[in-house]
């Protein structure tokens, strides 16, 4: 699966934000309180729901009751999907983007189909396999095979000899 975009409306610190993601590795960097973890939580909430998400994530300091997440993603078979979660109304639906008719509605049905698409059945597995925090990068990569480490370094720092995980981590921070 490849996530193409995430649209947040009155979610956490975001009033109305659309984040377009490119193919391949995407890095979201910024200072503390920039919204990096909020984006991560929005994806987890969109895919798996969150108990009392509306009370927790409705945009701080606004009286507008709307609070929603829309995620557009593509599967390996090139089908594109739109997952919409309205936290105010506690509604969720999943539709193929071409055609737009909801193929799954409600938390149980959507979670089952999203689980099939992701190949993951719960939020913890999703968070532990999809996301790497910059503080964990050097430690985690230190324990893996040197050939895989070299490949990841190449992706992060632009080729062999161009830098190191330590430098990449400092750049991310």
């Amino acid at each position: 699966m490849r996530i193409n975009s995430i649209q947040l409306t009155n979610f956490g610190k975001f009033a109305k934000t659309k984040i377009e993601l490119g193919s391949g590795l995407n890095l979201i960097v910024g200072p503390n309180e920039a919204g990096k973890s909020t984006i991560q939580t929005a994806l987890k909430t969109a895919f798996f729901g969150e108990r009392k998400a509306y009370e927790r994530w409705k945009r701080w300091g606004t009286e507008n009751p709307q609070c929603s997440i829309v995620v557009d993603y593509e599967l390996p078979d090139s089908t594109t999907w739109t997952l919409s979660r309205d936290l105010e109304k506690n509604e969720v639906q999943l539709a193929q983007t071409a055609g737009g008719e909801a193929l799954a509605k409600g938390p149980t049905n959507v979670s089952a189909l999203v689980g099939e698409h992701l190949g993951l059945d719960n939020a913890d597995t999703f968070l532990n396999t999809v996301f790497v925090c910059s503080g964990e990068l050097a430690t985690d990569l230190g324990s893996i095979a040197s050939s895989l480490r070299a490949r990841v370094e190449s992706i992060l720092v632009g080729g062999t000899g161009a830098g190191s995980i330590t430098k990449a981590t400092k750049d991310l921070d």
Side-chain angles (χ1 to χ4, degrees):
M1 169 199 280
R2 179 171 107 61
I3 298 172
N4 295 319
S5 67
I6 309 152
Q7 184 173 319
L8 305 173
T9 303
N10 290 327
F11 187 90
K13 71 177 291 145
F14 299 102
K16 188 155 180 93
T17 301
K18 186 169 186 179
I19 302 164
E20 302 279 345
L21 300 173
S23 61
L25 180 67
N26 288 269
L27 298 175
I28 298 176
V29 296
N32 287 341
E33 301 301 319
K36 301 177 302 292
S37 296
T38 302
I39 294 166
Q40 178 184 18
T41 299
L43 284 170
K44 178 192 80 152
T45 301
F47 288 131
F48 297 100
E50 180 181 323
R51 191 176 177 150
K52 298 186 179 182
Y54 179 69
E55 292 86 8
R56 175 160 167 70
W57 292 105
K58 178 184 168 275
R59 185 167 179 245
W60 311 302
T62 183
E63 296 303 316
N64 185 341
Q66 184 182 11
C67 181
S68 64
I69 308 162
V70 177
V71 178
D72 290 314
Y73 64 89
E74 183 176 337
L75 296 179
D77 67 2
S78 297
T79 58
T80 55
W81 295 80
T82 300
L83 172 62
S84 304
R85 189 173 291 270
D86 185 321
L87 300 175
E88 176 201 3
K89 297 177 183 171
N90 197 27
E91 295 176 350
V92 59
Q93 71 175 23
L94 182 63
Q96 275 194 295
T97 306
E101 186 176 328
L103 298 178
K105 289 185 179 182
T108 303
N109 295 331
V110 169
S111 291
L113 192 50
V114 164
E116 288 177 30
H117 290 170
L118 288 169
L120 304 169
D121 60 358
N122 65 63
D124 288 337
T125 305
F126 175 72
L127 291 176
N128 289 323
T129 57
V130 176
F131 296 97
V132 176
C133 296
S134 63
E136 300 168 357
L137 195 58
T139 303
D140 289 347
L141 291 177
S143 64
I144 61 175
S146 61
S147 63
L148 180 57
R149 180 183 172 102
R151 288 178 56 203
V152 172
E153 282 185 348
S154 176
I155 291 168
L156 289 175
V157 296
T160 57
S164 69
I165 291 298
T166 303
K167 180 184 179 314
T169 302
K170 284 180 183 177
D171 290 344
L172 290 173
D173 288 338

